[in-house]
Amino acid sequence: MAQGLPDHIDHFIRNQRTEEIPQAVLDHVALLLLDTLGIAIAAAPMQAGQIARETARRLYGSGNRDDTAWMMFDGRAASLAGAAFATASQIDNLDGHDGYNPTKGHTGVAVVPALVSLAQHLPDLSGRDALAALVTGYEVAGRAAIALHASVSDYHTSGAWNALGVTALGARLRGSSAAQLREALGIAEYHGPRSQMMREIATPTMLHDGSGMGALVGVSALIMAEMGFTGAPAITVEAAEAQEHWADLGRFWQVLHQYIKPYPICRWAHASIDAVREICLAHDVSAEQVAAIDIRSFHNAVQLFPGVPETTSQAQYSLPFAVAVMIARGDIRLEHIAGAGLQDPVAAQLVAMTKMRVGPEHEARYPAGRWADVTLTLKDGRILSSGEVHARGGPERPFAALDITDKFMRFAAPVIGQHRAEAIMAACLVLPRAGTSFASLLDLLQAPPEHPA
């Protein structure tokens, strides 16, 4: 075991100047922030988010005003950790937020709520410095994830490692000492929820990817370390065998390689969804024409929920249902995976026509890539094949900034209204400029949704 936090990691978290971060990185993380906020808004009325916010209010409050924060799109107060937990749980339950292929999971879902909670006590925080803190969270969390996956056999949820990104973000914002940072990372790693992702895949619930607990643990670890609680070392950060995963910190920017999801569905299903989307667009295929659907993808994708879902959680972890909705409706939005959308008879008929199997070539490229191919057999005898397709929205098939802003408006405007959604988008996109204040965005994130205008 290495002795102490490596100097370059400590420097990157606590002392890397905002000016040393490339402008392209700051510009891109502003788009990631906007995208995550869009999912937070869309998820605010969902049952899981309501329960998480009430849980934070009841269990994770604080009697100390300096340690409280309002919950996003709710306005009620909780502790710093509780507010981060509530919004991270809320976002986690609408599976439309960003991710990074090598981590097999998600970072923004935890670090964005932590930033919003902690920034409420930093009125002078500039927009660029807020984005620099987000970059810190992304870069630390991603490397902790890869180190964890390399050191243990179980596939753990994102909360197991995005907790460390939350802690790093908070340490930068709060000016932690080197000793406090080291102890906090150790506490966050030790208490991080090493929950089994494939259990949730097999039986989808509101637990999702463990990121609510990741945010709670990450903020809690930092506060505990500030008060003198010890917990070092974080093995995924300090162990000699983990150092290869941290060697490029500050040179290779993982934040530029996050993917943006066009659909609120598990990323594993996206290659198949995009494959059938492209067939339907190219050949003007309607649901009534389809006689059979054959999906080939990587092993984990084929393990997704196989039938017609009864809950929104099941729908977000479904492969055949998601593909069926794309054929039937030409898109996948929240209304397709909730309420009446779960009783879509056309989608149910298509699910019954679907077969799934592992494609060895797709499995060989996972987790670095998310590949699939789909074949539709039509009732007139035609057989239409997609060929090999990679999911859209990541570095392999990137979205332009306009794609991301359009997605934000699609998710946010129906919940908070066009005017407020546009104001949030404008406040977010100017953050990379010199002289901007993060408070101008914060002011727009507190109030609960009103009836859209």
Side-chain angles (χ1 to χ4, degrees):
M1 172 64 63
Q3 296 299 312
L5 190 64
D7 289 343
H8 75 291
I9 300 176
D10 175 78
H11 172 79
F12 180 85
I13 295 172
R14 296 193 310 112
N15 297 318
Q16 179 99 337
R17 293 187 300 115
T18 299
E19 294 74 20
E20 295 173 328
I21 299 174
Q23 184 64 38
V25 173
L26 296 176
D27 291 339
H28 192 68
V29 81
L31 288 169
L32 296 180
L33 171 59
L34 179 69
D35 184 68
T36 304
L37 291 175
I39 300 303
I41 293 165
M46 294 174 64
Q47 183 184 26
Q50 293 177 20
I51 293 172
R53 297 194 303 273
E54 183 63 20
T55 298
R57 191 188 69 81
R58 292 189 188 186
L59 301 183
Y60 305 134
S62 174
N64 184 346
R65 191 169 181 272
D66 291 337
D67 294 324
T68 62
W70 43 256
M71 294 181 282
M72 293 168 61
F73 308 108
D74 181 284
R76 292 177 296 171
S79 66
L80 294 173
F85 157 82
T87 306
S89 298
Q90 180 170 308
I91 297 167
D92 206 15
N93 272 272
L94 183 57
D95 205 349
H97 45 281
D98 64 34
Y100 181 47
N101 283 346
T103 67
K104 299 183 285 187
H106 312 276
T107 302
V109 56
V111 295
V112 168
L115 171 64
V116 171
S117 292
L118 295 170
Q120 292 174 37
H121 295 275
L122 300 169
D124 297 327
L125 182 66
S126 73
R128 289 173 59 82
D129 287 345
L131 294 179
L134 266 187
V135 171
T136 301
Y138 273 96
E139 299 296 325
V140 169
R143 287 168 175 81
I146 296 168
L148 176 63
H149 293 321
S151 63
V152 295
S153 57
D154 272 1
Y155 172 20
H156 294 112
T157 60
S158 297
W161 47 265
N162 61 28
L164 279 77
V166 168
T167 294
L169 174 150
R172 180 184 179 93
L173 288 174
R174 291 169 70 90
S176 299
S177 69
Q180 288 170 337
L181 170 62
R182 182 173 184 246
E183 301 299 341
L185 289 172
I187 298 166
E189 183 193 74
Y190 195 86
H191 285 164
R194 294 204 173 187
S195 35
Q196 298 79 27
M197 187 71 246
M198 296 312 293
R199 172 199 150 181
E200 177 66 3
I201 296 300
T203 54
T205 66
M206 294 178 185
L207 292 171
H208 275 256
D209 205 24
S211 292
M213 295 308 294
L216 180 76
V217 166
V219 176
S220 299
L222 182 62
I223 304 300
M224 293 169 74
E226 288 177 354
M227 294 190 294
F229 202 90
T230 59
I235 297 172
T236 54
V237 184
E238 295 192 23
E241 56 270 27
Q243 294 316 298
E244 63 179 296
H245 307 301
W246 296 90
D248 62 358
L249 183 66
R251 299 196 308 274
F252 175 78
W253 299 94
Q254 292 183 0
V255 71
L256 295 176
H257 298 268
Q258 309 290 312
Y259 57 74
I260 298 288
K261 289 184 176 184
Y263 326 110
I265 299 291
C266 175
R267 185 64 170 176
W268 295 347
H270 280 221
S272 300
I273 298 168
D274 284 334
V276 80
R277 172 182 176 272
E278 289 163 21
I279 293 174
C280 292
L281 288 174
H283 300 279
D284 195 24
V285 174
S286 66
E288 293 73 20
Q289 297 174 277
V290 177
I293 304 167
D294 184 22
I295 298 171
R296 295 174 72 253
S297 194
F298 51 96
H299 172 79
N300 281 356
V302 174
Q303 299 306 303
L304 290 167
F305 190 78
V308 178
E310 297 180 356
T311 68
T312 299
S313 295
Q314 289 178 344
Q316 292 179 80
Y317 283 132
S318 169
L319 177 56
F321 182 75
V323 166
V325 170
M326 176 54 69
I327 296 172
R329 306 302 163 202
D331 196 2
I332 306 176
R333 299 194 182 192
L334 178 55
E335 62 263 30
H336 299 131
I337 59 171
L342 298 173
Q343 283 80 48
D344 186 336
V346 178
Q349 290 174 355
L350 292 170
V351 169
M353 303 175 185
T354 302
K355 294 183 179 179
M356 300 182 293
R357 52 200 170 106
V358 175
E361 70 276 34
H362 305 324
E363 177 65 17
R365 289 180 285 190
Y366 175 81
R370 305 288 193 272
W371 293 85
D373 63 87
V374 175
T375 300
L376 298 184
T377 301
L378 303 188
K379 292 175 182 177
D380 64 8
R382 284 184 293 161
I383 298 175
L384 306 176
S385 297
S386 66
E388 295 184 351
V389 172
H390 194 284
R392 298 181 298 145
E396 308 83 2
R397 299 180 67 187
F399 283 151
L402 182 60
D403 297 315
I404 300 171
T405 56
D406 284 350
K407 175 194 167 185
F408 171 80
M409 293 302 297
R410 289 199 313 274
F411 277 85
V415 178
I416 60 172
Q418 186 82 10
H419 178 73
R420 186 177 175 192
E422 289 177 347
I424 289 172
M425 182 168 67
C428 201
L429 295 180
V430 300
L431 293 176
R433 300 180 189 172
T436 60
S437 169
F438 193 66
S440 62
L441 175 61
L442 274 185
D443 290 342
L444 297 165
L445 305 181
Q446 180 175 359
E450 299 178 359
H451 186 71

